[in-house]
Amino acid sequence: MPLSGIRILDLTRIISGPYCTSILADMGAEVIKIETPGEGDPVRRQGVIKNGLSWYFANYNRNKRSVALDLYSQEGKDILRQLIPTCDVVIENYRPGIMEKMGFGDDALKALRPDIIHCSINGFGTSGPYRDRPAFDFIAQAMSGFMSLNGGENDPPMRAGPPISDLVAGMNGALGVLAALLRRERTGRGDSISVSLMSSMIGLLSFQAANYFASGELPPRTGNDHGIVAPYGLFETADGQVAIAPSNDAMYDKFLDALALQSLRSHPDFQANADRMLNRASIKAVIEARTRQESSRYWIERLNQYGVPCGQVLNLREVFDDPQVADQDMAIDVPHPDGQQVRMLGFPIKFAESPCQARTPAPSLGGDTEAVLRELGLPEDRIQELLAKGAA
Amino acid sequence: MPLSGIRILDLTRIISGPYCTSILADMGAEVIKIETPGEGDPVRRQGVIKNGLSWYFANYNRNKRSVALDLYSQEGKDILRQLIPTCDVVIENYRPGIMEKMGFGDDALKALRPDIIHCSINGFGTSGPYRDRPAFDFIAQAMSGFMSLNGGENDPPMRAGPPISDLVAGMNGALGVLAALLRRERTGRGDSISVSLMSSMIGLLSFQAANYFASGELPPRTGNDHGIVAPYGLFETADGQVAIAPSNDAMYDKFLDALALQSLRSHPDFQANADRMLNRASIKAVIEARTRQESSRYWIERLNQYGVPCGQVLNLREVFDDPQVADQDMAIDVPHPDGQQVRMLGFPIKFAESPCQARTPAPSLGGDTEAVLRELGLPEDRIQELLAKGAA
């Protein structure tokens, strides 16, 4: 696997950090998740719980080992100090400054292992006026400008449904770690990486940011309409709605052919895209009068035949029942020790030679503590002593 | 830089592929962008154009070289065949099967360079019933289930404002390429990677997917409300709105302290989170009666003092005027040959030792054709002949 032999110390919890380390674990890295004894990652208690297991936790912590360590205790810190030199990478999502306070700032990490790669996933960055603020996905969505672009024209600014600032920050963390590993392979040097929820969201502002920079004009929220193309969006059919995206004039022509509405070509209101933008509502009405005559299925097939990008708006049941999603293995069933088959998201990155794998289910809290301490060379009585004390 | 010395052949256009290669270019890779002579990437003509330059194109194509090649001509294909062995990675976002048709399928690529890394960025995957369908960001957002989770309870399913399926697919492509490069460094073997817009969006379904898998129940759209926590969301102030995310009971307590509404603690309707969920509207009304008395700025400062995650909903002007965003260099000015300082998005991944850099502005169409052909060892008269023919 791409990351076989890479060992990662995972000091993260909740979702941005665990998503980052799960991407790397799915690619074959050995991830050692440090959790507070008796308590563990709060996500263990979040979402729908079946047979005592949070399927949310199971999804984002597959392929990891769990070591319970009380990092407030001297013993816990000592063990961490012994663990770090055995790891290629340390990933954490504490607030900036906490690692230093714990005695594991960049200099301390480097002293323990000169070529260490350290990745901090944080809310706003490791410097700047908001550095110490508590962060949260919703807040990053609000402060990044993302919400100002999301939602309908007459809606309030809208958060994205899934926690995308956590997820995209996790992806940026994994990108940084992989790039640093590659550099280390070629130079022998480690690095220290910071990614924040807020900057990760700003990184998604795309053409809206470019247009704002160039024009100084604030882009509006356009809901499901395209900012500069019409017709475009959701169209009603006999039994639902279809998303249709004829993104240029050539596509618009094909769209009219597929609808058998070639007569619209000579309609004075709908000549150029600029005319159609002005008459967006009326062209939509003409098109929907036609699309309402047939089923969504009919239109999906017909429009695809004509090469017009389209698709149904699927809910999660329809998504995971969809033959394409099945073909792409985007839901996988992972056997767990108690006999549960836990369904979770599959791997969006497909390697032909070295595919991502679900090698092991999410660990029980501290399930690998003894094994990892033994690997460190701790004598058996010392291990039992630490466990008895609650330090591990 | 992390990717210094890595050479990437970039056969992508529009946004998903160019975003993928720009992530790698920002990290130091040499990216050779192949464009159709006289036409080039359509994004050159999209978004706000200043002095003939699309700032959208400039953002996503900085740090790249442009080589014009007519891949429909035999000469163009011959040059590509000579270029491939000089490149570590080939990235393309053609529909699946097109590379094979052009004579550059995986086997052909491998024959040209045995350890080549090939990355396909596509709509739905390289197999399955929808493999050949035309793809588009909006359609992937619809078909992935993302739209079913985005928007208010009473809204229709809503697309995200920015083209996030393009962007997240680009990020997944870059993750795959970096992992494959690392594996090549250690095994000498290349790989072939596929990422799709649809699977990339499914990869973001997060706790909503986990809860659906565990319960069989479809998650609702909740707009700016949290699915399982109240109070939470946007609250009106004297001069605007503030996003507030007290995500657990301890935070809720701090929130009441910050509001000086400790009396709510004994209110029978608001005891546990479950009660507050049932009485979401009434607790919101009580809180807003208080938050409306002061400015957003007042509340941001006060809530942060109390450790309650909060922030303003910023529009793009406010984002790029924000001192934290400035501190994090999330807008950078890149000098262009015509004297324009082009403002573009900064780098969300911060490396301490080997930072991402804007080394060169986006290239003019074919601006590096002659230099790259010369590097290939083509004689000067042959280069001039190809240019004259329009093949390069």
Side-chain angles (χ1 to χ4, degrees):
Chain A
M1 299 183 70
L3 300 193
S4 295
I6 299 288
R7 196 180 221 211
I8 295 175
L9 185 70
D10 180 357
L11 295 169
T12 72
R13 29 183 268 162
I14 316 288
I15 174 70
S16 62
Y19 184 48
C20 172
T21 56
S22 82
I23 293 168
L24 303 169
D26 288 352
M27 291 173 171
E30 179 192 358
V31 172
I32 301 176
K33 182 181 179 82
I34 306 295
E35 300 187 79
T36 306
E39 190 182 313
D41 188 334
V43 171
R44 288 186 179 274
R45 293 174 294 281
Q46 290 177 9
V48 178
I49 312 279
K50 273 177 91 168
N51 285 359
L53 179 72
S54 155
W55 283 31
Y56 180 27
F57 180 82
N59 192 134
Y60 287 99
N61 293 281
R62 63 191 179 203
N63 292 329
K64 299 180 189 175
R65 304 171 83 187
S66 167
V67 169
L69 269 191
D70 177 7
L71 296 182
Y72 290 102
S73 75
Q74 198 49 56
E75 284 104 334
K77 281 186 189 164
D78 286 343
I79 302 286
L80 196 68
R81 205 164 286 119
Q82 284 176 265
L83 252 179
I84 287 167
T86 72
C87 294
D88 302 279
V89 183
V90 175
I91 306 180
E92 44 86 15
N93 62 353
Y94 292 110
R95 278 196 231 175
I98 301 290
M99 286 288 280
E100 281 79 1
K101 266 192 205 154
M102 289 168 60
F104 297 102
D106 272 332
D107 292 341
L109 290 175
K110 248 189 185 164
L112 287 167
R113 175 157 174 159
D115 67 351
I116 198 102
I117 292 164
H118 168 220
C119 177
S120 159
I121 302 176
N122 49 62
F124 303 101
T126 55
S127 61
Y130 309 160
R131 166 195 137 119
D132 298 320
R133 287 191 182 180
F136 204 77
D137 172 73
F138 179 40
I139 307 305
Q141 293 204 31
M143 293 177 69
S144 65
F146 176 88
M147 279 176 58
S148 80
L149 304 174
N150 194 42
E153 205 180 348
N154 302 313
D155 285 336
M158 192 71 78
R159 184 193 59 182
I164 63 172
S165 76
D166 283 322
L167 299 171
V168 173
M171 294 175 81
N172 276 330
L175 281 163
V177 166
L178 289 174
L181 279 167
L182 192 61
R183 179 169 172 271
R184 191 196 66 170
E185 209 70 37
R186 304 155 91 224
T187 66
R189 299 186 62 86
D191 209 338
S192 180
I193 302 151
S194 164
V195 300
S196 73
L197 271 57
M198 186 169 176
S199 292
S200 292
M201 287 306 285
I202 291 173
L204 300 184
L205 295 178
S206 187
F207 65 87
Q208 285 106 335
N211 287 348
Y212 165 68
F213 289 143
S215 70
E217 278 170 39
L218 289 175
R221 279 189 290 290
T222 60
N224 289 323
D225 290 332
H226 196 290
I228 50 171
V229 176
Y232 183 105
L234 294 184
F235 295 83
E236 286 188 10
T237 64
D239 58 356
Q241 288 188 313
V242 170
I244 308 177
S247 53
N248 56 40
D249 284 346
M251 285 280 187
Y252 171 69
D253 267 352
K254 291 183 197 175
F255 184 33
L256 294 186
D257 287 340
L259 293 165
L261 284 177
Q262 289 90 343
S263 59
L264 284 193
R265 275 204 196 101
S266 53
H267 194 298
D269 291 354
F270 309 139
Q271 287 299 302
N273 180 61
D275 306 314
R276 299 192 294 268
M277 283 290 289
L278 284 175
N279 301 297
R280 194 194 270 282
S282 59
I283 193 166
K284 186 169 186 184
V286 175
I287 291 169
E288 282 192 326
R290 177 83 188 89
T291 52
R292 278 201 208 94
Q293 294 169 2
E294 305 285 350
S295 68
S296 295
R297 196 193 177 92
Y298 171 89
W299 287 115
I300 299 286
E301 224 159 273
R302 187 164 168 97
L303 293 168
N304 272 304
Q305 270 169 18
Y306 281 81
V308 178
C310 67
Q312 270 174 278
V313 180
L314 303 181
N315 65 33
L316 295 205
R317 180 173 300 124
E318 292 161 332
V319 168
F320 293 107
D321 287 346
D322 189 277
Q324 184 69 23
V325 177
D327 177 87
Q328 295 292 305
D329 292 320
M330 285 308 293
I332 57 175
D333 292 309
V334 177
H336 276 59
D338 65 358
Q340 281 192 87
Q341 291 282 340
V342 176
R343 180 157 285 199
M344 51 182 77
L345 292 170
F347 311 105
I349 308 170
K350 313 290 189 200
F351 298 90
E353 273 206 11
S354 57
C356 291
Q357 292 168 32
R359 306 184 302 288
T360 57
S364 62
L365 173 53
D368 302 284
T369 307
E370 292 187 50
V372 170
L373 295 185
R374 248 174 245 129
E375 287 164 26
L376 277 182
L378 264 72
E380 200 61 33
D381 54 349
R382 177 68 180 146
I383 295 174
Q384 294 312 321
E385 194 189 347
L386 290 166
L387 291 170
K389 270 191 169 176
Chain B
M1 298 183 71
L3 300 193
S4 294
I6 300 288
R7 196 178 221 211
I8 295 174
L9 185 70
D10 181 357
L11 297 169
T12 72
R13 29 183 268 162
I14 317 286
I15 175 67
S16 61
Y19 184 49
C20 173
T21 56
S22 81
I23 293 170
L24 302 169
D26 288 351
M27 291 175 173
E30 180 192 359
V31 172
I32 301 177
K33 181 180 179 84
I34 306 295
E35 299 188 79
T36 307
E39 189 184 312
D41 188 334
V43 170
R44 289 186 179 275
R45 294 173 293 282
Q46 290 178 9
V48 178
I49 312 276
K50 274 179 91 167
N51 284 359
L53 179 71
S54 156
W55 284 31
Y56 179 26
F57 181 81
N59 191 134
Y60 288 98
N61 293 281
R62 64 190 177 202
N63 292 328
K64 299 180 188 175
R65 305 172 83 187
S66 167
V67 169
L69 269 191
D70 177 8
L71 297 181
Y72 292 101
S73 76
Q74 197 51 53
E75 285 104 334
K77 281 186 191 165
D78 286 344
I79 303 285
L80 197 68
R81 205 165 287 117
Q82 286 176 263
L83 253 178
I84 287 167
T86 73
C87 294
D88 303 279
V89 183
V90 175
I91 305 180
E92 44 87 14
N93 61 354
Y94 293 111
R95 277 198 232 176
I98 301 291
M99 286 288 281
E100 282 79 2
K101 264 191 206 153
M102 290 167 61
F104 298 102
D106 272 330
D107 291 342
L109 290 175
K110 248 188 184 164
L112 288 166
R113 174 156 174 161
D115 66 351
I116 197 104
I117 292 164
H118 167 220
C119 178
S120 159
I121 302 176
N122 49 63
F124 304 101
T126 54
S127 61
Y130 309 160
R131 168 194 134 117
D132 297 320
R133 287 191 181 180
F136 204 78
D137 172 74
F138 180 41
I139 307 305
Q141 293 204 32
M143 294 177 70
S144 65
F146 177 88
M147 280 176 59
S148 80
L149 304 175
N150 195 42
E153 206 180 348
N154 303 313
D155 285 335
M158 192 70 78
R159 184 193 58 179
I164 61 171
S165 76
D166 282 323
L167 299 171
V168 173
M171 294 176 80
N172 276 330
L175 281 165
V177 166
L178 288 174
L181 280 167
L182 192 61
R183 178 170 173 270
R184 191 196 67 169
E185 209 69 37
R186 304 155 91 225
T187 65
R189 300 185 63 86
D191 208 339
S192 181
I193 301 152
S194 164
V195 299
S196 73
L197 272 57
M198 186 169 175
S199 291
S200 292
M201 287 305 284
I202 292 173
L204 299 184
L205 295 178
S206 187
F207 65 86
Q208 286 106 333
N211 287 348
Y212 165 68
F213 289 144
S215 70
E217 279 169 37
L218 288 174
R221 278 189 292 288
T222 60
N224 288 323
D225 291 332
H226 195 289
I228 50 169
V229 176
Y232 183 106
L234 295 184
F235 295 84
E236 285 188 12
T237 65
D239 59 355
Q241 288 187 313
V242 170
I244 308 177
S247 54
N248 56 40
D249 284 344
M251 286 280 188
Y252 171 68
D253 268 351
K254 292 183 195 173
F255 185 33
L256 293 187
D257 288 340
L259 294 165
L261 283 177
Q262 290 90 344
S263 60
L264 283 193
R265 277 207 193 98
S266 52
H267 195 297
D269 291 355
F270 309 139
Q271 287 298 303
N273 180 62
D275 306 315
R276 300 191 294 268
M277 283 291 290
L278 283 174
N279 301 297
R280 194 194 270 282
S282 59
I283 194 167
K284 187 171 187 183
V286 175
I287 292 170
E288 282 191 326
R290 177 84 188 88
T291 52
R292 276 201 209 94
Q293 294 169 3
E294 307 283 350
S295 69
S296 296
R297 196 192 178 90
Y298 171 89
W299 287 116
I300 299 286
E301 225 159 89
R302 185 163 169 98
L303 292 169
N304 272 306
Q305 270 168 15
Y306 282 80
V308 179
C310 66
Q312 268 174 280
V313 180
L314 303 181
N315 65 34
L316 295 205
R317 180 172 301 124
E318 294 161 330
V319 167
F320 293 107
D321 287 347
D322 189 276
Q324 183 68 25
V325 177
D327 176 88
Q328 296 291 305
D329 293 320
M330 286 309 294
I332 57 176
D333 292 310
V334 177
H336 276 58
D338 64 358
Q340 282 194 85
Q341 291 282 341
V342 177
R343 180 156 285 198
M344 51 182 76
L345 291 171
F347 311 105
I349 307 171
K350 312 292 188 200
F351 298 89
E353 274 207 9
S354 56
C356 291
Q357 292 167 32
R359 306 184 303 287
T360 57
S364 62
L365 175 53
D368 303 283
T369 306
E370 292 187 52
V372 169
L373 295 185
R374 249 174 244 130
E375 287 163 24
L376 277 182
L378 263 72
E380 202 60 34
D381 54 349
R382 177 65 181 146
I383 293 174
Q384 296 309 323
E385 192 189 347
L386 289 166
L387 290 169
K389 271 191 168 176

